Amino acid sequence: MVKPIKNVSFLFCFLFTCLFIPLISYAQNKPAYKQYPWSFTGIFGNYDLSSVQRGYMVYRKACASCHSVQYMRYADLQQMGLTLDQIDKIAKTDQILDGKDASGKDLYRAATLVDYLPAPYSNQLMAKSVNAGKVPLDFSRYGMGMGQQADYIMAILMGYQNPPADFKPDQEGMVYNQYFPGHQIAMRSPLTKDGVKYADGTPATIEQQAKDVTTFLSWTAHPHLIERHRIGIMVMIYVAFIAILTLLVKRKVWSNVK
Amino acid sequence: MTQDPEPHLNQVSSKKHTFSEWIEKRFPVFSTFRREYIQFPMPRNLNIWWAFGAVLCVTLLLMLATGIFLALSYTPSAEEAFASIEMIERRVPSGWLLRSLHMAGSNLFLVFLYLHLFRGLYYGSYKNPRELVWLSGLLLMLMVMMTAFAGYILPWGQMSYWAANVVIQAISSIPFIGEGLAHWLMGGSSPSDLTLHRYFVLHFAMAFFIIAVVFIHVICVHVVKSNNPKGIEPKTKEETLPFYPYYVAKDGVVIVGAIILLVLLAFFFPDLLTNSENYTPANPLETPANIAPEWYFLPFYGILQLIPYKFLGLLLSVGSIMVLFAVPWLDRSPIKSANYRPLYRIALFLLVLSFVMLGIVGKYHSHTGLIWLGRLALFYYYAHFLLILPFSARFELKRTLPTSLLDEKGHK
Ligand code: HEM
């Protein structure tokens, strides 16, 4: 009989070859900017919900005037640890476009739990016209890509420092950014020191705000990460147990075969 | 079957089973099941490579179970598709779990399919009398690939849209009928609402056709019986073991192993399988910087990239699968298992290498340095099937094959 171990190692060689491709791709994309120890990377990764909540405050204050999170409803904010009452209070302070009056004018009303988070522009043309021809990204999934993307967002937010002396934008309204592709970005530095006042007393340095809003963006892109990891570990333990059982059964069944 | 290998399993108590007897007389499911899945004689020397058929069946069931429930919340229109996926992920109870399992499952399906196919190539499972098993398997592969492609269109993200566009462009390159065919298949000269609707129906319906063909495939296997690592047919009863309990137990271990992979991918590394570009809604006006298909299509995409003439690229890309259909007749060697074909074994290793190389080209097609390496791989891919398979048998030294599956000698 062919030794099973030989075949298994053969199989692993095969799978390993396949793994090679993502490895190359990782090595190629190794970023040139600072890497932060995010709490949400790795298989035990978890969001620091107080940071997500602070990040949401930063988003509302500094980003929401241009960037939407259009696929999220107010009620979804529960998963960042807010109660429905707390969310309701926040929602009431936002105005939502809802229909037209008899003369065709837009009507606004206070938002409720079932509304989607409001979009800053009612259409793309409007968004373009006030942002040097670029449409600000939607933030629902902007944080996809875990740690690497988070580091990138951090780098952009912190990358407005020290424009070279000879920096000249190609276009009116563009500013220098060290890490944005092409080093010119249509967004001015959105964060200012103490631009928000955190309810939990955390000092609102620019870096702190950047970290919090980045955590918030990663969270909007992976809304179930905490649950996914928690359930995943339980499932893994269960399956490992089943694996041992099936192995034992297989051994027993085959014990009389020479 | 003359003698029952496991007599205790076969004692139908002649007492009260009147209902099952009534059924049995009219539609012999019970005896058929006993014959095909309990007593069924399997070669006693099968290794892990023979478990992937069972693993594929389980994966197919997983895809069906999760897919049906995803379809309940999915909306197949250009306007709403992306938002409905977001709703599944954010608000439908356990929607994220269903989608995670469906996505991880689709990737593993293709992993297992490639492994299963490789097993066939290595052990010569396509040779007389298993040609129909091989052909029905390839038909399954085409159907699975179509289903996977259609499924990738459904979220209607940037990659969905532009992948569909690449295929439309490729089809359009067919002389004379290309444009018309693309219109007919895709509902237009660029992907649209119509395309999405069609691909949803195709994706959903194809799953059930696949089940039907799996039945044909498995019946074919059961008629000619399984091949084995030695590639010689068992002649005596001692060389076989009944499917139950031996291979049920053995397949079970590999199935649980596959489930572990599934859990790892679905719960801990879903980002490994997702392209974040596809989480931006489809935008016909903005071509993404890097259009790349899912990893399992990379070799075929690589071939398209290597050939400057679109139509030729398409022919070679589709041909790389079609040539597999001819393999039972291209391979002139009477020896099945590559364990006894040293030359062929090396050739097969190079084939796998070329395939992976073509995949790397597909991934990094913008690197011009890879082009000649890629063309070499493409050349070898075809040479393997069209030259090495027909002629290598002449150069392979006569080997003494083992005479029985019990024979430990004769193995190299
Ligand atoms: C939906 C996909 C498929 C399913 C569910 C499936 C299922 C199975 C099952 C259950 C078996 C018997 C157990 C085993 O030998 O592993 C089998 C055998 C076989 N399959 Fe498939 N199969 C699929 C696709 C394919 C493909 C793509 C090929 C390659 C062309 C293929 C070629 C074969 C061959 C040659 C055998 C007989 C192997 C032997 O006895 O050595 N199958 N398949």
Side-chain angles (χ1 to χ4, degrees), chain B residues 50 53 56 113 116 119 125 133-134 137-138 141 217 221 226-227:
Chain B
W50 268 261
L56 281 167
L113 207 64
H116 190 68
R119 184 277 314 264
S125 294
V133 182
W134 178 254
L138 284 174
M141 185 167 90
H217 184 65
V221 178
S226 282
N227 184 23

Side-chain angles (χ1 to χ4, degrees), chain A residues 70-145:
Chain A
Q70 61 172 324
Y71 296 106
M72 193 136 78
R73 294 187 189 183
Y74 284 95
D76 297 340
L77 299 176
Q78 272 183 99
Q79 286 155 23
M80 64 162 76
L82 296 175
T83 65
L84 283 180
D85 282 341
Q86 286 170 319
I87 301 170
D88 207 34
K89 275 210 198 87
I90 296 173
K92 281 212 180 81
T93 65
D94 289 342
Q95 291 293 305
I96 291 279
L97 184 65
D98 187 11
K100 311 249 187 249
D101 71 5
S103 64
K105 271 219 312 274
D106 291 342
L107 280 180
Y108 287 85
R109 62 165 170 78
T112 64
L113 290 175
V114 296
D115 285 313
Y116 286 94
L117 297 188
Y121 306 107
S122 56
N123 60 64
Q124 303 244 318
L125 286 176
M126 191 195 230
K128 259 190 188 166
S129 69
V130 296
N131 289 291
K134 307 281 186 314
V135 182
L137 291 155
D138 178 65
F139 277 173
S140 306
R141 291 287 185 169
Y142 187 51
M144 285 296 287

Side-chain angles (χ1 to χ4, degrees), chain B residues 20-80:
Chain B
S20 52
E21 275 165 16
W22 189 88
I23 297 277
E24 172 71 26
K25 257 200 183 137
R26 288 154 185 82
F27 186 65
V29 278
F30 300 105
S31 59
T32 305
F33 185 79
R34 212 178 302 121
R35 195 178 62 239
E36 299 297 331
Y37 287 98
I38 292 180
Q39 306 162 339
F40 190 73
M42 302 284 283
R44 55 184 291 142
N45 59 336
L46 298 186
N47 56 35
I48 184 176
W49 290 98
W50 268 261
F52 290 109
V55 172
L56 281 167
C57 290
V58 173
T59 316
L60 182 59
L61 291 180
L62 169 85
M63 299 308 286
L64 219 65
T66 50
I68 286 177
F69 286 98
L70 283 173
L72 291 180
S73 309
Y74 171 77
T75 314
S77 75
E79 197 62 36
E80 307 246 337

Side-chain angles (χ1 to χ4, degrees), chain B residues 353-408:
Chain B
L353 215 64
S354 313
F355 194 64
V356 173
M357 189 63 223
L358 288 171
I360 293 176
V361 171
K363 177 106 188 160
Y364 303 107
H365 54 86
S366 43
H367 293 219
T368 43
L370 284 175
I371 287 194
W372 284 104
L373 215 56
R375 287 188 183 150
L376 189 69
L378 181 60
F379 174 77
Y380 181 79
Y381 184 94
Y382 275 98
H384 175 90
F385 290 110
L386 300 178
L387 296 173
I388 297 182
L389 272 192
F391 299 114
S392 69
R394 297 192 192 169
F395 302 101
E396 278 173 334
L397 302 173
K398 280 274 170 286
R399 286 244 154 188
T400 39
L401 293 182
T403 49
S404 141
L405 299 187
L406 289 166
D407 183 6
E408 285 289 291

Side-chain angles (χ1 to χ4, degrees), chain A residues 1 25 76 141 220 224, chain B residues 86 89-91 364 408:
Chain A
M1 199 165 135
S25 111
D76 297 340
R141 291 287 185 169
T220 60
H224 292 286
Chain B
E86 286 291 312
E89 291 241 340
R90 293 175 193 275
R91 281 178 289 279
Y364 303 107
E408 285 289 291

